[in-house]
Amino acid sequence: MKDDSPEPASKAAKAEARAVEAAAIRRRWITLGEVLTVIAVTISGLTLWNSWSQRNDSEATRVAEADRAADKAAALVLLATGSDDDKLMLKPASADQTVQGQTIAFPAALGLAPVETTGEPRIEAQWFDRALKKARNGAKLPDDSRGDAKLPVLVTTRFLVDGKVHRDVALYDVGYSISGRLLGGHHLALRGVSLVSKAGKAGARALDTRWKRLLDEEKAAGS
């Protein structure tokens, strides 16, 4: 007698269903693995980018600090303090700068050699008073100055910033007044200094050009 029981077919269907479910589970695990791999790669990429970004920021900070130090070094401005009629004591406007020495050059028309100072930046009237009076006389300027007259000088300064030696070359005006005395000739009194401009290789030429211009302006004012 033939067995028409559906049991074998049912078993086959169940087996097929289990196989399908197992395949689906494997596919889910594969998909999950792919997602985890993508996440791991993303995290690794972000870590590398963050590390690069931090190095980049550190380098940018270092460069910015170096630029600020360079700017500070280039920004030397001399001020006159504690002066009297015969001498101007000079000091940097920034407390971070320490002057080591200076060379002060005068207009060629005065026929004076440059003056060297070490450790005590200053300008003294005796360095140029006779030559200046002679030059004023030759230019037929008034015996008595009207207000503060100006003598340009080229100042080369060697100074320290954070232990490093720097060099600055600049054109300054020395303010002075000159007045006549009945006995003893004319007296020269120093008043102060003011920065005109930074100077380079053409500093000596700029010095002579400014001297001529200042003389012409004073002549025009006195005429």
Side-chain angles (χ1 to χ4, degrees):
M1 179 172 164
K2 187 177 180 182
D3 187 4
D4 293 332
S5 174
E7 185 176 343
S10 177
K11 288 181 178 179
K14 288 180 180 179
E16 184 179 354
R18 284 196 296 271
V20 170
E21 184 178 357
I25 291 172
R26 285 197 299 273
R27 284 197 298 273
R28 286 198 295 273
W29 277 110
I30 292 171
T31 303
L32 179 59
E34 291 173 345
V35 170
L36 291 175
T37 300
V38 171
I39 291 173
V41 170
T42 302
I43 291 174
S44 178
L46 289 173
T47 301
L48 288 174
W49 180 87
N50 187 56
S51 177
W52 175 86
S53 179
Q54 287 179 344
R55 287 198 303 270
N56 225 32
D57 289 345
S58 297
E59 179 64 15
T61 300
R62 187 191 66 77
V63 171
E65 289 175 350
D67 288 344
R68 282 195 294 271
D71 289 342
K72 182 167 63 175
L76 177 72
V77 176
L78 296 171
L79 305 175
T81 63
S83 61
D84 55 35
D85 282 359
D86 299 322
K87 182 188 297 185
L88 296 173
M89 301 304 298
L90 305 178
K91 74 168 188 177
S94 172
D96 296 324
Q97 300 162 337
T98 304
V99 174
Q100 298 296 291
Q102 291 182 313
T103 301
I104 299 170
F106 305 96
L110 270 61
L112 297 170
V115 174
E116 299 278 347
T117 67
T118 303
E120 187 183 22
R122 66 194 186 280
I123 295 176
E124 298 183 21
Q126 64 176 351
W127 296 344
F128 56 85
D129 59 349
R130 291 184 181 179
L132 179 59
K133 291 172 185 177
K134 183 178 179 181
R136 289 180 60 87
N137 185 60
K140 296 181 170 43
L141 291 175
D143 289 340
D144 294 348
S145 61
R146 300 172 64 179
D148 289 347
K150 298 174 184 176
L151 169 67
V153 293
L154 187 66
V155 182
T156 301
T157 305
R158 296 165 296 284
F159 64 103
L160 296 177
V161 178
D162 296 331
K164 294 182 179 180
V165 179
H166 297 272
R167 181 174 178 270
D168 178 84
V169 183
L171 196 62
Y172 282 84
D173 281 340
V174 178
Y176 70 91
S177 63
I178 190 167
S179 57
R181 291 180 174 176
L182 187 59
L183 298 175
H186 287 78
H187 176 68
L188 180 70
L190 303 183
R191 299 305 185 196
V193 296
S194 61
L195 175 65
V196 177
S197 64
K198 297 295 180 178
K201 294 181 179 179
R205 184 168 54 194
L207 173 64
D208 292 335
T209 298
R210 182 157 182 80
W211 167 247
K212 184 178 182 304
R213 192 179 113 194
L214 290 173
L215 279 183
D216 291 341
E217 288 177 354
E218 196 170 352
K219 285 180 188 177
S223 61

